[in-house]
Amino acid sequence: MSTCSNPKIGALLPAYEMGILSGEDLVAFEEHLYECAHCFEQVQEFEPVAGHILNSDKVKAGISTIPEPTPAYPAKQRKWRLAYIPVFAVVLLIVILGPWNIKIETSQDAIATANRVIIGCFEDLTGRQDGKQLTEIAAHLLANDLSESEFLQVVPASRVRGLLQMSENDNICALPDERLWDAAEQANARWIISGAVIEQDGHLGLTSTIIDITTGSSVFSQQVLGDDTDNVFSLANRLTIQIRHDMSMPDAKPSDSDILRDDVTTRSALAYKYYLDGIQFVEQMYSDEAVRAFENALLHDSTMAMAYYYLSQLKDARLINKAFEYSGDVTTRERMLIEGLRYYYMYNFDSAVAVLEKTIDRHPDEKSAYLLLASIKLSMGNTQAAEMRYLQSLEIDPYYKPALNHLAMLYGQIGEFEKAILTINRYIDVAPNEAGPYAAKGKIYADFGEIDKSIEAFETALAKKKDFPESLKMLGVLYSFKREFAKSDSAFERVIETSDFNRRVWVRLYQATMLSRQGRLDSSLVIIEKLIHMGEIEKASTHFMIEARLSRALILQAQRKYGEALEEIQFAIDRLRTDSPNMPPAYLRYKIQFLTDDHRIAEADSILEYIRGYMQQIPSLTYVYHYGLGCRELALDNASGAIEHFQRALDYRPHESMYGHFETKLMLGRAYLQSGNIEQAVDAFNDLRSSYTYFRAYWSLWDVSSHYYLGQAYEKSGWYKRAAIEYETLLQFWKDGDTNIVERQEAEKRLAVLQHQS
């Protein structure tokens, strides 16, 4: 075994390995390496793990500050990327630094401020092709595992990136350390944990360093090295156990070291990579790409609960049951999110709110919990509470794109145009190169009747992403309002060319609806019947199947085939009850309407009484109840009673972009017309034209028919020219349509009389 040729200079080896030599000492030692085989061999052995220190100005600067007295506030220029130092170097550091005593607070108030941690830079020191992927997975796993402690709060990575004003593609390791210090201070975090993925003798390893930003000091470093049986999941778990023990956390029991939970979330690095990609696509509002990513994750691990969680929101709500089935292998935070969403889908809103409130108490930075709470509050008709939750999520992260998108849509729903545009412009500032914010702006313009500005915004979104389906679908809708049906159909076909089965059938349903707008009811029925058949075979989502049945029922109603329409709506109700057996379906209002159209009042009354029994338990059914009563009174020629109930129903759906608003406003207009309140009828029918929404497009038959009713109102007012224009507009829409539609036949007769009189 060789010995050092100059022990006096050789004694500088540890300092050289940590990169803290400078000046004459550095020159002398490096000249010594040319002469001393012993020291050269030592450096060569050390190089695979920590050789990067010799080339890292940031690490040199950080280590060089160790002997200095600890300041009251850490200097911003310090660089604490120490996570890559091997165990024997850590021992030396601890000798230099002296003993440390990390105090973990155990009271809930103290936990909120004293025990918050940020996961910082995790670097790839392996040189492997999948190295970057492994660092992303390791950082995410470490955050999840540490968040399991009830005495620690991990600031979510998305929150950190928001504070750093970073895009998804920015590398946190490339930022100056003072930026991370600032983010930590803004997030009220005390600790920063940075680390690296290393490789030694062909085996993976993980290292980490804990920085206390109140002192500016590195207090502990950890390292775990794997063997043939280890993967990034087991290594992350072992590293977490070390960190929790080093931080003297009260729930870090000794037995924890024997529990390697490498089956938490998934065992597949590839599945986890797709899962993280899916989350990024969700934040970009790219739903198709997100669906593919989560489905790819499930191809590699069919038990990945959180992939099912996201897919239940993006594709099929029934998948929440799969998420719940496999929720034993997720973190407590993730399990609570799954439970809250599951209650939401079961219409058990109170339980959903309770679970999510508890989630926020434990994880106050969990933005997605605020987002889900806002959705629940909207479902309960509480727009103020929804707005508050969106704003709270943006307090956590002002760059949170889903919250900016949903908040802008909410302002659109409640008629706050200026707030909606301000919010969407903020969204554009955050993501100027993405299609999502421009598509959202197009929808807001459409909601407020600015059809040309809306089309321009959707075209801009397509310039950012040429296959963005939401823009194409909405362009198909908007061009149909302008009677440019060839352009409408072309936009829909572009969606179909690049979409999966689920989106294709939805777009085909909209194409069928556009045929109804043209009065081609029989052709529309042919397409809808094929879609229903395909949906049954391919097990399409409940939402699609019930909407397809409703579309068919509405055409049959227009053809005065009430018995067949009732059969279709009963199919939809039965399908809803299969998924939510304890919830009276909102679709019962259509059954009541079809029954009253067919003068089957006693049957309608029975359903109304059934709904009334649930109204106190489920307040949202109040809308269904009053809508049904309005239809009943209108069928009995009690126009004043119908007005009262339709108005009360509208109080629960006051804005154009809300589900149920369009049909309720149209029925209110018909009640005013029947009562002789012509001015109110004109206002109601004109209000229907004030926006260009999906709902108005879906109700194309009623939308075009409203020209007939408005024509009647103008005619009764003596405004014959305006009446003629309305009848002519209806006939232009239906010029190539079926000739047996009652409203068309009546419009032709009335127009002929008016033209003869003139």
Side-chain angles (χ1 to χ4, degrees):
M1 187 177 205
S2 63
T3 58
C4 178
S5 61
N6 188 338
K8 182 177 179 180
I9 296 179
L12 299 174
L13 174 63
Y16 179 75
E17 290 172 335
M18 291 187 291
I20 61 177
L21 281 183
S22 62
E24 293 179 0
D25 287 342
L26 176 61
V27 174
F29 186 81
E30 290 188 338
E31 289 178 351
H32 172 70
L33 289 177
Y34 285 101
E35 303 170 354
C36 181
H38 171 79
C39 289
F40 183 78
E41 289 173 2
Q42 294 294 314
V43 170
Q44 288 291 95
E45 290 177 5
F46 188 81
E47 181 70 20
V49 175
H52 64 285
I53 295 179
L54 306 182
N55 300 310
S56 174
D57 291 336
K58 294 180 178 180
V59 175
K60 290 175 186 176
I63 297 175
S64 67
T65 63
I66 290 174
E68 297 177 2
T70 300
Y73 298 96
K76 296 294 185 184
Q77 68 270 20
R78 292 185 175 179
K79 313 296 184 183
W80 285 112
R81 306 267 171 87
L82 302 180
Y84 348 115
I85 302 174
V87 173
F88 67 86
V90 171
V91 173
L92 178 60
L93 277 177
I94 292 175
V95 170
I96 295 172
L97 293 170
W100 291 92
N101 181 19
I102 297 180
K103 183 180 180 183
I104 294 293
E105 302 290 348
T106 56
S107 72
Q108 289 301 315
D109 290 340
I111 287 170
T113 56
N115 299 352
R116 289 166 65 80
V117 62
I118 278 179
I119 306 299
C121 165
F122 262 68
E123 295 198 86
D124 169 34
L125 304 179
T126 67
R128 292 167 46 139
Q129 187 174 0
D130 63 346
K132 183 177 183 297
Q133 172 186 320
L134 289 173
T135 62
E136 293 174 356
I137 293 174
H140 200 274
L141 289 171
L142 186 64
N144 274 357
D145 284 350
L146 287 174
S147 70
E148 286 293 272
S149 170
E150 63 178 295
F151 301 106
L152 199 68
Q153 289 179 353
V154 180
V155 181
S158 57
R159 161 75 160 144
V160 177
R161 299 184 79 85
L163 292 170
L164 292 169
Q165 302 183 33
M166 295 174 63
S167 73
E168 290 85 354
N169 297 321
D170 290 335
N171 181 5
I172 194 172
C173 295
L175 296 179
D177 283 352
E178 54 265 25
R179 291 273 300 279
L180 191 58
W181 282 105
D182 289 337
E185 290 177 352
Q186 290 179 63
N188 294 320
R190 178 180 176 183
W191 317 99
I192 298 175
I193 299 179
S194 295
V197 180
I198 62 174
E199 188 170 30
Q200 188 168 317
D201 299 328
H203 297 133
L204 285 177
L206 296 178
T207 65
S208 61
T209 294
I210 305 171
I211 311 298
D212 183 347
I213 71 168
T214 64
T215 64
S217 301
S218 168
V219 294
F220 276 109
S221 291
Q222 300 81 24
Q223 176 174 285
V224 292
L225 293 174
D227 55 28
D228 292 337
T229 64
D230 279 308
N231 56 29
V232 68
F233 301 97
S234 59
L235 290 171
N237 183 243
R238 287 168 53 193
L239 188 67
T240 301
I241 292 170
Q242 281 196 23
I243 291 171
R244 290 173 66 181
H245 281 217
D246 286 348
M247 295 182 79
S248 301
M249 293 168 66
D251 56 355
K253 301 181 180 66
S255 59
D256 284 351
S257 60
D258 299 324
I259 304 172
L260 300 181
R261 297 183 302 130
D262 60 334
D263 58 344
V264 169
T265 305
T266 181
R267 295 175 183 268
S268 167
L270 198 52
Y272 209 81
K273 184 262 183 190
Y274 282 121
Y275 169 69
L276 294 179
D277 287 346
I279 293 175
Q280 179 176 324
F281 286 131
V282 166
E283 293 233 344
Q284 292 175 310
M285 312 302 288
Y286 292 166
S287 58
D288 281 6
E289 288 82 354
V291 166
R292 284 194 291 270
F294 291 128
E295 288 180 338
N296 281 332
L298 292 172
L299 285 176
H300 294 278
D301 183 354
S302 61
T303 68
M304 196 172 187
M306 288 304 290
Y308 287 116
Y309 168 84
Y310 282 106
L311 283 173
S312 75
Q313 299 173 70
L314 294 165
K315 187 175 181 179
D316 187 346
R318 292 172 295 182
L319 292 174
I320 195 63
N321 295 319
K322 281 286 188 182
F324 186 75
E325 178 183 349
Y326 297 118
S327 61
D329 289 337
V330 299
T331 65
T332 303
R333 174 184 60 84
E334 292 168 332
R335 192 175 302 117
M336 293 169 81
L337 290 174
I338 290 170
E339 187 178 356
L341 186 59
R342 186 165 176 259
Y343 278 130
Y344 176 40
Y345 288 151
M346 295 166 62
Y347 298 95
N348 189 344
F349 296 150
D350 290 340
S351 295
V353 168
V355 169
L356 293 168
E357 294 283 9
K358 186 177 179 181
T359 305
I360 289 170
D361 287 343
R362 175 64 187 87
H363 303 280
D365 292 321
E366 185 53 56
K367 298 176 297 186
S368 62
Y370 288 98
L371 211 64
L372 186 50
L373 270 172
S375 296
I376 294 170
K377 294 299 183 182
L378 276 179
S379 297
M380 299 171 73
N382 191 339
T383 56
Q384 285 185 329
E387 179 189 14
M388 180 186 72
R389 292 305 187 184
Y390 288 137
L391 291 172
Q392 286 175 326
S393 71
L394 289 168
E395 287 176 10
I396 296 169
D397 179 3
Y399 305 92
Y400 189 29
K401 289 178 284 189
L404 288 168
N405 180 78
H406 288 298
L407 181 60
M409 294 299 106
L410 172 62
Y411 286 140
Q413 284 186 12
I414 62 178
E416 296 277 3
F417 179 73
E418 290 185 4
K419 284 186 178 181
I421 293 298
L422 284 172
T423 305
I424 214 63
N425 285 340
R426 169 62 180 154
Y427 184 12
I428 290 172
D429 289 341
V430 169
N433 298 317
E434 295 177 11
Y438 298 98
K441 192 171 191 175
K443 189 174 186 308
I444 289 170
Y445 276 130
D447 286 348
F448 285 90
E450 299 277 3
I451 190 168
D452 292 326
K453 287 183 178 180
S454 177
I455 289 173
E456 181 183 354
F458 283 117
E459 293 288 4
T460 302
L462 289 174
K464 303 293 180 182
K465 192 176 188 298
K466 64 181 180 180
D467 61 343
F468 194 51
E470 289 307 310
S471 287
L472 288 168
K473 191 168 71 170
M474 195 62 191
L475 282 173
V477 167
L478 293 173
Y479 283 125
S480 77
F481 286 119
K482 294 168 73 78
R483 298 201 300 274
E484 297 180 23
F485 293 111
K487 286 185 178 180
S488 172
D489 201 53
S490 175
F492 286 134
E493 288 296 331
R494 285 173 63 189
V495 182
I496 290 169
E497 289 172 5
T498 59
S499 298
D500 61 9
F501 170 80
N502 189 56
R503 190 179 292 279
R504 285 199 305 273
V505 293
W506 272 109
V507 173
R508 289 293 186 207
L509 185 58
Y510 268 96
Q511 284 183 309
T513 302
M514 296 309 104
L515 289 175
S516 295
R517 180 170 289 278
Q518 300 171 64
R520 299 166 61 185
L521 305 190
D522 289 335
S523 298
S524 183
L525 278 176
V526 170
I527 293 176
I528 294 172
E529 286 163 2
K530 288 181 179 178
L531 290 173
I532 291 172
H533 181 66
M534 289 171 57
E536 295 291 353
I537 293 174
E538 298 291 337
K539 299 188 184 304
S541 69
T542 293
H543 186 201
F544 172 77
M545 294 303 297
I546 61 177
E547 291 294 329
R549 293 286 186 177
L550 176 58
S551 296
R552 189 169 189 272
L554 291 173
I555 293 174
L556 293 168
Q557 181 206 28
Q559 294 175 331
R560 305 312 195 251
K561 299 177 181 177
Y562 300 121
E564 293 179 54
L566 282 164
E567 289 178 7
E568 288 300 310
I569 209 64
Q570 190 61 51
F571 271 116
I573 291 169
D574 291 343
R575 183 69 179 262
L576 278 171
R577 280 178 170 154
T578 299
D579 284 4
S580 305
N582 298 320
M583 172 68 179
Y587 276 48
L588 285 170
R589 69 184 186 274
Y590 303 123
K591 185 174 182 179
I592 295 168
Q593 183 162 8
F594 298 160
L595 286 169
T596 56
D597 283 347
D598 202 24
H599 303 289
R600 294 158 64 175
I601 305 300
E603 293 175 65
D605 286 345
S606 177
I607 297 172
L608 284 165
E609 190 63 27
Y610 168 69
I611 294 171
R612 189 168 176 234
Y614 280 89
M615 282 170 53
Q616 187 172 0
Q617 177 185 344
I618 308 171
S620 59
L621 287 176
T622 306
Y623 161 74
V624 177
Y625 180 71
H626 286 293
Y627 183 92
L629 273 176
C631 293
R632 177 188 188 276
E633 297 307 312
L634 197 64
L636 294 173
D637 293 325
N638 180 8
S640 60
I643 290 170
E644 177 187 350
H645 289 295
F646 284 130
Q647 188 59 66
R648 291 187 67 180
L650 204 60
D651 289 341
Y652 290 87
R653 299 290 189 273
H655 305 296
E656 288 82 357
S657 57
M658 287 184 170
Y659 190 86
H661 174 90
F662 183 87
E663 60 267 40
T664 308
K665 178 60 73 72
L666 186 137
M667 294 303 294
L668 178 62
R670 287 182 59 183
Y672 280 133
L673 184 62
Q674 185 173 309
S675 71
N677 295 323
I678 304 303
E679 185 177 349
Q680 291 92 332
V682 168
D683 288 343
F685 292 129
N686 276 323
D687 283 348
L688 295 174
R689 320 284 164 71
S690 63
S691 64
Y692 299 92
T693 66
Y694 278 127
F695 299 123
R696 183 179 167 192
Y698 183 80
W699 292 86
S700 281
L701 260 177
W702 289 25
D703 186 30
V704 177
S705 296
S706 70
H707 290 285
Y708 166 68
Y709 295 115
L710 182 55
Q712 279 188 284
Y714 282 141
E715 197 175 348
K716 290 182 179 181
S717 306
W719 296 345
Y720 301 124
K721 288 185 178 180
R722 291 186 181 183
I725 290 172
E726 294 301 322
Y727 296 141
E728 287 171 348
T729 301
L730 180 145
L731 295 173
Q732 286 171 357
F733 272 106
W734 287 353
K735 63 185 177 64
D736 298 321
D738 303 341
T739 59
N740 60 346
I741 305 174
V742 172
E743 287 83 358
R744 173 178 178 163
Q745 294 171 344
E746 290 296 318
E748 287 173 339
K749 292 177 183 177
R750 289 179 177 274
L751 180 61
V753 171
L754 291 174
Q755 289 173 338
H756 178 72
Q757 289 176 346
S758 63

